[in-house]
Amino acid sequence: MEGESKEKLASVSSLVTVFENSRTPGAASRVCKLEIEHHCPGGRAPPPAEPWKEPNLGETLQGSEPRMVSRRYLSSLKNKLSSGAWRKSCQPGTHPGLGTQEPEEKRIVQELLETEKAYVARLHLLDQVFFQELLREARASKAFPEDVVRLIFSNISSIYLFHAQFFLPELQRRLDDWIATPRIGDVIQKLAPFLKMYSEYVKNFERAAELLASWTDKSAPFQEVITRIQSSEASGSLTLQHHMLEPVQRIPRYELLLKEYVQKLPAQAPDRADAQKALDMIFLAAQHSNAAITEMERLQDLWDVYQRLGLEDDIVDPSNTLLREGPVLKISFRRSDPMERYLFLFNNMLLYCIPKVIQVGAQFQVRTRIDVAGMKVRELTDAEFPHSFLVSGKQRTLELQARSQEEMISWIQACQAAIDQIEKRNETFKAAVQGPEGDTQEQELLSEELGLRAPQWVRDKMVTMCMRCREPFNALTRRRHHCRACGYVVCAKCSDYRAELKYDDNRPNRVCFHCYTFLTGNVLPEDKEDKKRGILEKGSTTGSEQSIMCGFLQLVGDKWGKSGPRGWCVIPRDDPLVLYVYAAPQDMRAHTSIPLLGYQVTAGTQADPRVFQLQQSCQLYTFKAETEELRGRWVKAMERAASGWSPREPSDGDLSD
């Protein structure tokens, strides 16, 4: 190493000797350049004509103005080179004439300056080489649009000018004058607000990467320009994507270096307050950049949803936020098997979609849009459809089934969080507090909201007769219809009325006569008034909600018919000595009623322990429960009723599930 150093020193000394002897204008200009570089280390040379190529020294110097150099300056330079004083003055970590080590904070500032120089060189490559060369190729060949190039590089030109003309020179000047002014906090405070321009670049980064990949594949001239520059020495064998990532990572790098700088500063350092304030400003700029990334991801999610919906309806607004999406099963009020559906939950609406069989251009078709404002959600207790929940909105009410209990809870929580957020923003759309299923508070709200929100439709198979006139349905003369106001299953005669419903934009809808009277205030003709209720006309819905015991029982024996149908059996709390048997859970009239007082209740045989019987005189009724545990509860309830026991308190004797 010492031999090589001596050889280099000798060659430099010889070069100075040549300069002394030859006073040509060309030689003088070369020495002038050395003098400028020695006294102005921060000076910038003119940019080369082709930035990815190394400039030719001869071409650079050929056009400089001739200048005579004094013999005194050349002798001084030669003496410095010979004595080694010039090399010692340029060694990092020392001051001329001092052997002490530089403080830690200055070392960090030097690292900041060196990384800034490398970063500006990378920005120069992006803006002045890649960007400009692609623009020139786009104008010359017309093989790809100029707008694509501008979209890829976003505001990289502004970022490059800011760092090359302002930030880097300020850092360089402050480090050169470090002995007199050992501080950088004030410089960073002055320039930190301009770092917010990174938000635009970061927000556009993912879109830029997609455009870059797309046009590289489909445009040969586009690919040729990028490949040529990437293979140059200036690119360092790195791809354009790698260089484009540098601005995204730069602000976190500033934050780390400045945090270390503040930690190394002495407690009484004059730059401590300014440096801490500058660190806070850099932190805000980093947050601004992170917020841009979050916003970019949010808009990307919206765009994906918009594409999957076929771009047909303008329902995805940039102000929306996608909260949750996923498949669910729709519980049909007519079909026995649930249907596959898909939900998109936004901060202001729920999209109820149907998957398309032929997915050409779109994966889903929007069937219903339900506003979150005024929406309610709660769990359903349905043994036939586990993990089910109810979404009730102004436009429609849906009974949905999730794939698991955890998924159902997740959907309910997501919907409720969106509802709560809407309520906080707009007090006029507060949803009423809802109780559990069957709560009297829920029933009180139904009459107040009749026609204002879509009702929950009663399923067809849950009733065998009209829920208003109690006449049994059949396939020919008495078919099932739904009242659009209350959701009851009614016959054609009872639903031969129309009323305007606010949730359906005040369009006339089929309603039952009860809802027609409530909504319009019109009095029904005498021939259409409700008849006097018979002894069996006790609604099973009311009985089920306020019952001692209720549930399905298999009806065994000739008394019930050979088919052995399954009946919905209820012992009402307000009539605890009678067993009502319905054909379906929500029928308004019982199929039969059995006064239990005086009956003897006997357990079944060992052949089927789920069977039990009611016997009195010549009357014998045989029932079969679904489980032995249910059989025991039914036997206990009927024995109480047979002995004449009646509940005194609302919770006494409640054996229902």
Side-chain angles (χ1 to χ4, degrees), residues 174 181-192 271 274-275 278:
R174 188 52 57 91
T181 314
R183 57 197 307 159
I184 60 168
D186 55 339
V187 174
I188 297 179
Q189 278 187 56
K190 182 172 63 175
L191 300 177
D271 195 25
D274 285 339

Side-chain angles (χ1 to χ4, degrees), residues 374-606:
M375 189 172 75
K376 298 180 182 180
V377 59
R378 60 182 173 86
E379 182 180 356
L380 293 176
T381 54
D382 194 324
E384 185 178 0
F385 299 102
H387 323 311
S388 58
F389 60 100
L390 178 75
V391 176
S392 176
K394 293 180 179 179
Q395 293 80 10
R396 188 170 178 181
T397 296
L398 302 170
E399 292 184 47
L400 305 171
Q401 183 182 18
R403 292 173 293 186
S404 64
Q405 182 75 9
E406 293 77 13
E407 186 177 284
M408 180 202 67
I409 294 174
S410 179
W411 271 114
I412 292 177
Q413 290 176 347
C415 292
Q416 192 60 51
I419 294 170
D420 294 341
Q421 190 66 27
I422 287 286
E423 289 179 354
K424 290 179 181 178
R425 290 209 313 260
N426 194 344
E427 294 293 330
T428 60
F429 287 100
K430 273 193 173 182
V433 179
Q434 57 183 354
E437 186 177 11
D439 196 343
T440 55
Q441 184 181 13
E442 183 78 13
Q443 299 297 326
E444 292 172 359
L445 292 173
L446 288 178
S447 60
E448 298 176 5
E449 299 178 350
L450 198 65
L452 300 179
R453 62 191 302 114
Q456 179 184 1
W457 283 19
V458 178
R459 298 175 211 161
D460 284 3
K461 64 179 181 179
M462 300 299 288
V463 294
T464 60
M465 60 187 69
C466 175
M467 299 179 71
R468 292 304 184 192
C469 68
R470 288 93 180 177
E471 294 294 331
F473 290 118
N474 59 67
L476 297 177
T477 61
R478 195 176 296 275
R479 299 176 60 188
R480 290 174 171 85
H481 300 274
H482 277 87
C483 173
R484 268 57 175 180
C486 64
Y488 276 17
V489 183
V490 291
C491 63
K493 181 180 178 181
C494 293
S495 60
D496 191 20
Y497 307 91
R498 290 197 169 267
E500 295 179 354
L501 302 179
K502 289 187 177 180
Y503 77 82
D504 195 24
D505 297 331
N506 289 322
R507 284 193 288 262
N509 281 264
R510 176 193 288 266
V511 295
C512 66
F513 58 84
H514 279 265
C515 296
Y516 175 79
T517 305
F518 180 86
L519 294 171
T520 64
N522 297 335
V523 180
L524 293 176
E526 293 182 2
D527 59 341
K528 291 190 176 182
E529 288 184 355
D530 196 10
K531 300 177 183 178
K532 186 177 181 180
R533 295 176 55 149
I535 192 172
L536 296 178
E537 294 181 3
K538 186 179 185 68
S540 66
T541 305
T542 305
S544 301
E545 293 168 351
Q546 299 177 358
S547 63
I548 296 175
M549 186 71 186
C550 65
F552 282 107
L553 289 174
Q554 194 77 22
L555 311 178
V556 183
D558 296 337
K559 185 178 291 293
W560 307 107
K562 295 182 179 179
S563 58
R566 191 174 69 155
W568 179 259
C569 301
V570 179
I571 302 178
R573 188 174 295 279
D574 58 355
D575 197 2
L577 305 182
V578 180
L579 173 68
Y580 290 89
V581 182
Y582 299 86
Q586 299 201 28
D587 276 356
M588 303 304 296
R589 187 174 65 180
H591 179 273
T592 187
S593 62
I594 305 174
L596 298 175
L597 189 62
Y599 270 84
Q600 182 181 359
V601 185
T602 59
T605 61
Q606 294 183 353

Side-chain angles (χ1 to χ4, degrees), residues 57-74:
L57 182 62
E59 294 178 358
T60 305
L61 299 177
Q62 191 173 1
S64 57
E65 296 181 1
R67 176 183 172 186
M68 302 300 292
V69 182
S70 65
R71 185 179 298 275
R72 181 185 302 173
Y73 172 75
L74 293 175

